[in-house]
Amino acid sequence: MTVDINTPVRLVAISGSIRRASHCTAVLRSLTPLLPPTVTMELLPLDDVPLYNGDLDGDTLPPAVKRLKAAIAEADGLVICSPEYNYGIPGVLKNAIDWASRPGFASPLKDKLALIMTASPGTAGGVRAQAQIRDALSATLARPLVRQHIAIANVANRIQDGKLVDEPTLNFIKAGLDDLINEIHWQAARTKQA
């Protein structure tokens, strides 16, 4: 099987926080310099995504939901960075996953590779939320990357001027991004061979 590492890759980044000065959004904005030239990443805001309502889940979706689903469908992989609220997944992220999961078992999330990260001002780095995010994505038939958790503890101390500047943390995230990109290339090669 031939793997072409020069094939363009499109990633969509989703922050689990809609706060203007979100640490998770700052982390995601810091990742572009870590990507190879053939990889692009778009930050997808969740500010306008309404609460999931099955009555609105029909042929005429709310515009923000249409944008969310289209961006995920067109992406080769997802990069999610989320805080942890009360030991769990933030409502805004769970809501986005619920919208994107429709129609069930045939949604844009099906077979989508995802790198999950959490960040917290606390010492655990939001790691407890990772299991819930992973479970929610797995229920949609997405493919969360199986690798060492990226949980950024004391995140406020690692950010300056809206950017993640801590070199060891950036290197650890880069390894995760490399794993995601490699898996995307392998998936593409397997699909081409089939």
Side-chain angles (χ1 to χ4, degrees), residues 16 19-20 31 44 57 62 76 84 92 113 115-116 118 128 140 154-155 157 180:
R19 189 170 65 93
R20 189 172 24 249
L31 302 185
L44 186 64
D57 188 9
D76 298 302
E84 178 181 283
V92 68
L113 290 159
L115 176 65
I116 301 168
T118 50
R128 288 169 292 224
T140 72
N154 304 309
V155 67
N157 298 330
L180 176 64

Side-chain angles (χ1 to χ4, degrees), residues 14 46 49-50 68 72 91-101 109:
I14 298 174
L46 301 179
V49 177
L68 170 73
I72 292 171
V92 68
L93 179 57
K94 178 62 166 67
N95 182 59
I97 292 171
D98 290 344
W99 270 116
S101 72
L109 286 169

Side-chain angles (χ1 to χ4, degrees), residues 118-186:
T118 50
S120 168
T123 56
V127 73
R128 288 169 292 224
Q130 287 207 24
Q132 292 179 12
I133 297 168
R134 201 168 285 281
D135 284 348
L137 286 174
S138 294
T140 72
L141 304 182
R143 295 184 47 218
L145 226 56
V146 177
R147 68 171 322 278
Q148 208 173 358
H149 287 333
I150 300 173
I152 307 166
N154 304 309
V155 67
N157 298 330
R158 301 174 195 271
I159 291 176
Q160 290 177 5
D161 300 321
K163 296 280 186 176
L164 179 64
V165 294
D166 185 67
E167 205 64 38
T169 304
L170 286 166
N171 290 336
F172 192 57
I173 292 172
K174 183 179 183 329
L177 289 168
D178 290 346
D179 288 348
L180 176 64
I181 294 162
N182 288 336
E183 188 59 36
I184 288 168
H185 287 310
W186 275 103

